[in-house]
Amino acid sequence: VVDVPVSELALNPERGGPKNLPIARVLVDDDESEGKGTCKHKPKLVILGCGWGSVAILKTLQADQYHVTVVSPSNYFLFTPFLPSATVGTLELRSLVEPIRTILTRIRGHFLQAEAESVDFSEKLVEVSQVIDGEKRHFYLPYDKLIIGVGSKTNTHGVEGLEHCQFLKTIDDARKIRKKAIGNFEKAVLPTTSDEERRRLLSFVICGGGPTGIEFAAEIYDMLNEDLIRHYPRILRNEVSVHVIQSRSHILNTYDEALSMYAEDRFARDHVEVYTNARVQEVKHDKIVFSEKTQDGKVVTKEIPYGLCLWSTGVSQTDFAKNLATKLDKQTNKHALETDTHLRLIGAPMGDVYAIGDCSTVQYNLAQNIMTFLREIAWEKGKDPKEVHLTFKDWQTVAQRVKKRFPQAGQHLRRLDKLFQQYDVDKSGTLDFNEFSELLSEIDNNLTSLPATAQRAHQQGQYLARKLNKLAQVAPGMRANGLLDGDLDETFYKAFEYKHLGSLAYVGNAAVFDVQGYNFAGGIAAVYLWRSAYFAQSVSLRTRFLLFMDWAKRALFGRDMMDL
Ligand code: FAD
């Protein structure tokens, strides 16, 4: 194996595994193995996917500790927060991506443009497939450690007619939307287009009032105001319409209520029509049918003709992740692969397999976590928790700390807020610790999970890479004093703790921030802050340069209105 000049992956002539497929092996770099004598014993680390979680690993992992192989159907990392800006040409598609091979250079990892199909956990083999000239070829990739970071797919909620919709998850989706939007403008100005048809072509419907849908609506609105009139003087501004259909009572419902209201007011002012408590029933080729619950509780059915419909209503499991979950008895969650707090895949051999990012979920018992924070408050007051009387202010401090760690817990906390106020508090306006634990039992069985965001995937990737760096030092070859792999995580490293740094959203020449429990919304200054926050997180100097050039180009010459 060692007499080849460079480290590379090759297919072993032998076949094996349960399906008797060819097995890939790592051919070791000659110099390295001679020089350090450790290369042959480096564990094989296989990473599935090259999104936010995986790239955070690759950027944090120390070089030369593992034989790293990344498997992904896309050979680039996509900076998703700016994807809505690329649909209308505010930013160019190229500026949002970074070649994965560039990222892998530092740690001398391998990349396979292929798809993981399945995992044989007992044999430690990933079944991989590649399509070449229409023929699908399968092989096995062996691993010592496997990290699953395959992301998610768009949730269809079982609605019919989604083949007429656009999605916004990949670079190809953004390209299709841009082509379709500009194509519709061109059709709208043809002399053969009737007035009714023109209004339909210029109607943009967004299903889903989360950050992606809202940012897309905002980008469309900006384009209409900044470039449309200049390039298409025959189109009247009031012939163009933007509609958002949201199933909850507010848009941006995971943000603080004040920010949702700000975004709604802003949209109302900008004539972006928002339907709340509304559910899409069917998407037809030219119109969308949905039901809306009115303020007096009646449900009415409505229709909106559209020229472009974006479907952006949350995420669901990829087929690969679903397949893995069915193989593991202990996986009970239908939406994501469950891990423990060390990010180990539940049900897989301990310490061999981790799952991070959108494809995974870590569930926490909210009540237990609240009690831990309450104890902290008691100790800060220099008292035994059992003797402490809690004021509403104490509770708010606790709620603030909980929210920072579990941003998804908002609705439970709001319920507790109300309970705390309604509770029969004594005259001093306090509640004793035991009474409070009773109150908590109301939500005792409520588990909370972490949000499916780039922020979480990034933190999990960094955590895992730091842990793997540490394990490579304390347990080279992944054995220490007879401990098995699975025990190493807990012996040598802490559990993962999520730190919610905040949520941002662009709402059309304005932005909203929900950062560390503080809310902020505003116009152009906030927009620059929003841009800077993401600009700073951009993965390379190359992408920063390209982003800067795109913004400068747009400011000087406007957007390119071409369906390239
Ligand atoms: P992803 O980044 O989705 O990467 C998954 C990777 O797995 C991809 O490379 C994919 O090709 C690969 N893959 C898929 N199947 C397989 C397979 N079978 N085998 C091998 N590889 C596979 N989050 C924020 O925090 N802030 C934002 O502003 C924000 N804006 C967003 C805007 C848009 C338009 C979208 C779509 C998402 C946004 N998100 C945002 C969410 C964020 O992008 C995701 O939470 C994040 O990408 C999850 O990272 P991940 O590593 O789990 O998966």
Side-chain angles (χ1 to χ4, degrees):
V1 173
V2 288
D3 60 352
V4 286
V6 285
S7 168
E8 60 177 297
L9 271 172
L11 277 190
N12 201 324
E14 283 168 35
R15 296 168 80 88
K19 294 189 186 169
N20 203 27
L21 293 172
I23 301 178
R25 61 180 177 171
V26 179
L27 299 176
V28 180
D29 184 322
D30 207 10
D31 288 350
E32 206 185 43
S33 58
E34 294 275 322
K36 293 181 192 157
T38 55
C39 187
K40 273 180 282 184
H41 308 295
K42 283 196 296 193
K44 293 183 283 296
L45 172 64
V46 172
I47 302 175
L48 306 180
C50 58
W52 275 95
S54 307
V55 164
I57 298 177
L58 298 177
K59 297 205 100 184
T60 317
L61 203 64
Q62 282 164 4
D64 299 329
Q65 306 281 15
Y66 295 86
H67 287 297
V68 180
T69 305
V70 175
V71 179
S72 177
S74 52
N75 65 357
Y76 51 81
F77 163 73
L78 170 62
F79 192 83
T80 46
F82 283 148
L83 203 52
S85 305
T87 57
V88 293
T90 310
L91 293 173
E92 293 303 325
L93 299 173
R94 188 165 290 278
S95 314
L96 310 189
V97 293
E98 184 70 10
I100 195 71
R101 287 184 181 275
T102 311
I103 299 172
L104 272 166
T105 314
R106 184 186 60 86
I107 55 166
R108 292 192 278 169
H110 305 283
F111 174 71
L112 296 177
Q113 187 163 26
E115 202 169 320
E117 296 254 340
S118 174
V119 178
D120 187 309
F121 294 107
S122 54
E123 302 263 334
K124 293 193 171 195
L125 295 171
V126 182
E127 185 185 337
V128 177
S129 75
Q130 285 159 309
V131 178
I132 299 176
D133 295 334
E135 184 203 342
K136 203 169 192 185
R137 299 178 191 172
H138 293 249
F139 63 93
Y140 283 128
L141 189 62
Y143 65 82
D144 294 306
K145 295 255 172 206
L146 173 66
I147 299 173
I148 303 165
V150 295
S152 55
K153 61 179 191 182
T154 306
N155 196 342
T156 61
H157 295 281
V159 172
E160 278 183 28
L162 294 199
E163 65 276 15
H164 305 301
C165 295
Q166 308 293 320
F167 300 93
L168 186 52
K169 235 171 146 40
T170 64
I171 213 80
D172 219 34
D173 292 339
R175 189 180 289 119
K176 280 187 197 154
I177 291 178
R178 188 166 170 181
K179 228 174 150 51
K180 175 113 185 141
I182 292 176
N184 282 1
F185 288 132
E186 296 299 351
K187 285 180 195 147
V189 293
L190 289 175
T192 46
T193 305
S194 67
D195 287 353
E196 188 188 350
E197 189 158 33
R198 180 157 59 241
R199 273 193 292 277
R200 181 187 67 77
L201 285 165
L202 299 176
S203 157
F204 295 83
V205 175
I206 294 123
C207 305
T212 301
I214 293 308
E215 289 191 353
F216 175 69
E219 290 285 349
I220 289 278
Y221 172 80
D222 284 356
M223 179 185 67
L224 299 179
N225 286 327
E226 292 162 13
D227 296 280
L228 185 88
I229 293 157
R230 197 151 49 100
H231 294 281
Y232 298 90
R234 285 195 53 211
I235 296 180
L236 300 176
R237 178 63 186 82
N238 64 8
E239 289 177 309
V240 190
S241 57
V242 184
H243 318 261
V244 177
I245 302 176
Q246 159 74 327
S247 59
R248 306 289 179 93
S249 51
H250 289 289
I251 56 171
L252 293 178
N253 67 298
T254 53
Y255 290 49
D256 189 273
E257 215 170 316
L259 296 178
S260 302
M261 306 289 276
Y262 176 89
E264 280 170 14
D265 288 348
R266 181 102 205 168
F267 275 9
R269 221 174 57 202
D270 295 344
H271 307 291
V272 173
E273 204 162 359
V274 176
Y275 301 87
T276 50
N277 297 313
R279 287 199 166 268
V280 175
Q281 291 173 340
E282 193 186 346
V283 184
K284 299 197 174 179
H285 76 280
D286 57 351
K287 66 182 173 202
I288 187 146
V289 184
F290 65 101
S291 62
E292 191 185 24
K293 201 169 173 187
T294 56
Q295 282 187 339
D296 52 9
K298 279 193 200 137
V299 177
V300 287
T301 302
K302 294 187 172 175
E303 293 182 351
I304 307 176
Y306 69 83
L308 188 152
C309 175
L310 176 78
W311 187 265
S312 167
T313 59
V315 297
S316 71
Q317 252 182 331
T318 62
D319 295 341
F320 169 71
K322 247 188 236 165
N323 165 2
L324 292 193
T326 53
K327 282 182 157 214
L328 300 166
D329 294 341
K330 292 186 181 160
Q331 291 284 330
T332 51
N333 191 306
K334 288 205 168 61
H335 307 289
L337 293 168
E338 283 173 282
T339 71
D340 63 11
T341 53
H342 291 262
L343 308 188
R344 293 171 295 194
L345 183 65
I346 292 175
M350 280 285 267
D352 286 353
V353 188
Y354 304 90
I356 55 171
D358 280 10
C359 69
S360 70
T361 181
V362 193
Q363 297 212 314
Y364 297 89
N365 185 310
L366 192 57
Q368 270 173 19
N369 276 281
I370 290 178
M371 288 309 273
T372 310
F373 285 116
L374 279 172
R375 276 189 204 100
E376 266 178 33
I377 296 270
W379 290 322
E380 279 164 24
K381 290 182 172 209
K383 290 205 171 151
D384 183 316
K386 295 257 158 13
E387 291 165 12
V388 162
H389 277 249
L390 298 159
T391 61
F392 187 63
K393 202 159 168 244
D394 290 333
W395 160 245
Q396 282 180 315
T397 312
V398 170
Q400 203 67 269
R401 289 183 195 180
V402 174
K403 212 174 144 201
K404 256 191 224 169
R405 246 184 99 188
F406 306 111
Q408 305 293 85
Q411 52 167 333
H412 299 308
L413 297 179
R414 280 195 286 276
R415 236 181 86 210
L416 273 168
D417 260 0
K418 283 193 190 128
L419 280 175
F420 199 105
Q421 283 167 316
Q422 282 162 13
Y423 210 75
D424 192 18
V425 287
D426 66 30
K427 287 199 180 73
S428 60
T430 63
L431 207 63
D432 125 328
F433 195 82
N434 289 332
E435 282 173 309
F436 191 80
S437 24
E438 265 173 43
L439 200 70
L440 263 187
S441 63
E442 295 246 357
I443 63 153
D444 198 25
N445 291 322
N446 275 315
L447 297 173
T448 187
S449 54
L450 299 174
T453 58
Q455 197 182 134
R456 193 251 288 198
H458 179 79
Q459 287 185 23
Q460 290 186 322
Q462 279 190 328
Y463 160 87
L464 218 46
R466 288 187 187 125
K467 175 154 75 177
L468 289 171
N469 289 340
K470 175 98 189 259
L471 291 184
Q473 279 163 17
V474 294
M478 296 297 132
R479 287 283 183 279
N481 302 328
L483 287 170
L484 292 174
D485 286 5
D487 306 319
L488 292 175
D489 287 72
E490 275 168 67
T491 313
F492 293 110
Y493 215 72
K494 58 190 180 201
F496 171 71
E497 268 190 31
Y498 175 67
K499 290 187 186 67
H500 185 59
L501 302 174
S503 312
L504 326 177
Y506 178 68
V507 291
N509 283 328
V512 295
F513 296 74
D514 185 348
V515 178
Q516 304 270 320
Y518 299 100
N519 304 325
F520 171 56
I524 205 69
V527 172
Y528 279 106
L529 206 60
W530 171 80
R531 271 190 198 166
S532 324
Y534 283 126
F535 185 75
Q537 282 178 32
S538 181
V539 280
S540 70
L541 198 60
R542 173 191 157 275
T543 45
R544 278 183 207 155
F545 176 75
L546 291 176
L547 288 172
F548 180 77
M549 295 297 284
D550 286 352
W551 281 320
K553 189 187 90 190
R554 206 218 76 206
L556 288 172
F557 309 111
R559 295 171 181 81
D560 294 335
M561 302 294 277
M562 295 181 287
D563 59 350
L564 282 176

